[in-house]
Amino acid sequence: MIPRRTFLLLALAACARGPQFRAYDGPEVTEVRVFKSERRMELWSGATRLRTYDIALGANPLGHKQQQGDSRTPEGEYRIDRRNPASAFHLSLGIDYPNAADVARAEAAGVDPGGDIFIHGTGSRSRFSRYRRGDWTDGCIAVTNRQIEEIYAMVRDGTRIVLTA
């Protein structure tokens, strides 16, 4: 029998545990491709497609992101530049939006280009707990929590991501 104090400590540790981090020892992911109109994301290693995912986008997905708050998902070539293991959306991988061209376009228009664009899960909070149908993010790319665990393990910082209409 486990002493009550030990049991409570073990239970507390289990509750505080973060998302499941998966191991990946397959081919290196060299590119992430996002096809906005098809709501599809693919992970590639050279000329080989490794995985395909259905995705949700920003609530206003048509066209390239122009400014903060437009709920659009960017289009163009970017890089994965950071990871957030404590994301409100389970896990997330940051995209280095805005690039120099995005900043110049926004400055010319007199607007803030926005930022904080991620590939993320749906999260564990009640309002994010179910995988939603349709586009619902503020401009990010959403997959299920289980899928972001796999993507998080497979995709390294510095990986190229190409987002097309």
Side-chain angles (χ1 to χ4, degrees):
M1 179 169 226
I2 299 174
R4 184 176 185 347
R5 180 182 170 129
T6 303
F7 176 78
L8 290 174
L9 288 174
L10 289 172
L12 199 65
C15 290
R17 204 168 116 201
Q20 295 293 322
F21 294 100
R22 296 186 186 192
Y24 176 71
D25 64 357
E28 175 187 6
V29 174
T30 57
E31 185 172 273
V32 177
R33 298 178 188 171
V34 175
F35 303 93
K36 289 174 47 175
S37 62
E38 298 171 29
R39 305 305 188 272
R40 186 177 79 233
M41 181 172 67
E42 300 173 346
L43 305 186
W44 286 77
S45 180
T48 304
R49 185 175 57 206
L50 301 174
R51 301 279 193 285
T52 301
Y53 303 94
D54 292 330
I55 60 172
L57 298 171
N60 183 24
L62 298 179
H64 178 61
K65 185 164 191 63
Q66 299 296 313
Q67 67 184 54
Q68 183 168 342
D70 66 7
S71 294
R72 290 186 177 166
T73 303
E75 295 173 1
E77 183 180 322
Y78 300 92
R79 296 276 173 187
I80 300 299
D81 69 344
R82 62 200 180 280
R83 322 171 89 56
N84 184 356
S87 171
F89 297 94
H90 194 56
L91 293 170
S92 61
L93 296 173
I95 298 171
D96 69 345
Y97 173 88
N99 61 25
D102 296 321
V103 171
R105 187 180 310 109
E107 284 178 356
V111 297
D112 181 339
D116 287 334
I117 303 297
F118 289 87
I119 301 169
H120 61 67
T122 57
S124 59
R125 296 180 185 171
S126 61
R127 66 182 176 176
F128 308 125
S129 62
R130 282 179 270 151
Y131 186 68
R132 299 179 183 192
R133 296 208 179 271
D135 297 315
W136 57 270
T137 76
D138 288 332
C140 295
I141 300 158
V143 294
T144 67
N145 288 345
R146 182 175 285 276
Q147 290 169 334
I148 192 59
E149 289 173 6
E150 181 176 73
I151 295 163
Y152 195 91
M154 294 176 72
V155 176
R156 300 284 120 232
D157 288 357
T159 302
R160 176 182 150 150
I161 179 168
V162 179
L163 301 103
T164 57

